[in-house]
Amino acid sequence: MKINWGTGIVLAFIGFITFILYFVVRMSTDDRANHDLVTDDYYKKELAYQKEIDAEASASANDAKLVIDKTEEGLTIIFPEDFKFKNITGKVSLYRPSNRHLDFDFPISLSKTHLLIPDNRLLDGRWDIAVQWQYKGKTFLHKEKLNY
């Protein structure tokens, strides 16, 4: 049987469609491909995004800048000296983009103007840190991406 050019085009289309379907099925069933959302409550957190913008703006307006330093003991978060550290409350969230099982949150409890995150809790690599804190009824937010 001789194949003419019309039959060749149809066979090329069928081959291309089969090729695409093979990769779609393979990637959909492959366990190595992670198709999860960034966080579990992604859409719920998006609704509260304006509050985050306001808290970051409040930190800028009130000169409430945090300094985050890497030391031998771990990660040190230094709060502004003109704020009384006993009145500061809030939480620190550390997010690891490559592995959600390494994410953790902990409350802020200060005995000095700085907070230390121990070295044994952090692995080398990229971390997204968010410090949400309150002082005298005002909410502040500091976000930073860092490589530990």
Side-chain angles (χ1 to χ4, degrees):
M1 178 174 137
K2 189 173 181 178
I3 298 177
N4 62 13
W5 64 271
T7 307
I9 291 175
V10 170
L11 289 176
F13 276 129
I14 291 172
F16 179 72
I17 292 169
T18 305
F19 174 75
I20 295 297
L21 287 176
Y22 166 74
F23 278 105
V24 168
V25 170
R26 183 173 176 200
M27 293 308 297
S28 298
T29 59
D30 193 1
D31 291 334
R32 293 177 295 165
N34 187 1
H35 301 294
D36 294 334
L37 289 174
V38 175
T39 59
D40 291 332
D41 298 327
Y42 177 77
Y43 297 108
K44 185 178 177 183
K45 288 184 179 182
E46 278 297 311
L47 294 175
Y49 190 63
Q50 184 61 44
K51 291 180 183 177
E52 290 184 15
I53 294 171
D54 294 341
E56 287 178 331
S58 177
S60 296
N62 292 310
D63 200 28
K65 299 285 184 182
L66 301 182
V67 177
I68 299 176
D69 285 332
K70 180 181 174 184
T71 62
E72 292 86 26
E73 296 89 23
L75 202 61
T76 305
I77 302 170
I78 303 169
F79 288 87
E81 301 243 349
D82 51 339
F83 290 100
K84 293 181 182 176
F85 62 87
K86 292 181 181 179
N87 296 335
I88 295 175
T89 59
K91 75 173 184 174
V92 176
S93 301
L94 281 127
Y95 168 71
R96 179 73 178 227
S98 62
N99 187 352
R100 71 151 124 194
H101 300 293
L102 297 175
D103 299 350
F104 61 94
D105 298 336
F106 58 92
I108 296 173
S109 60
L110 298 174
S111 59
K112 297 179 183 174
T113 59
H114 64 275
L115 177 69
L116 178 68
I117 301 168
D119 188 41
N120 60 359
R121 303 262 338 239
L122 301 169
L123 296 175
D124 291 343
R126 179 170 168 217
W127 288 91
D128 293 348
I129 184 169
V131 182
Q132 184 174 8
W133 53 291
Q134 295 84 25
Y135 180 76
K136 292 186 177 180
K138 292 184 180 178
T139 302
F140 305 104
L141 179 66
H142 178 86
K143 287 184 176 181
E144 190 172 326
K145 295 174 182 4
L146 55 100
N147 287 320
Y148 190 75

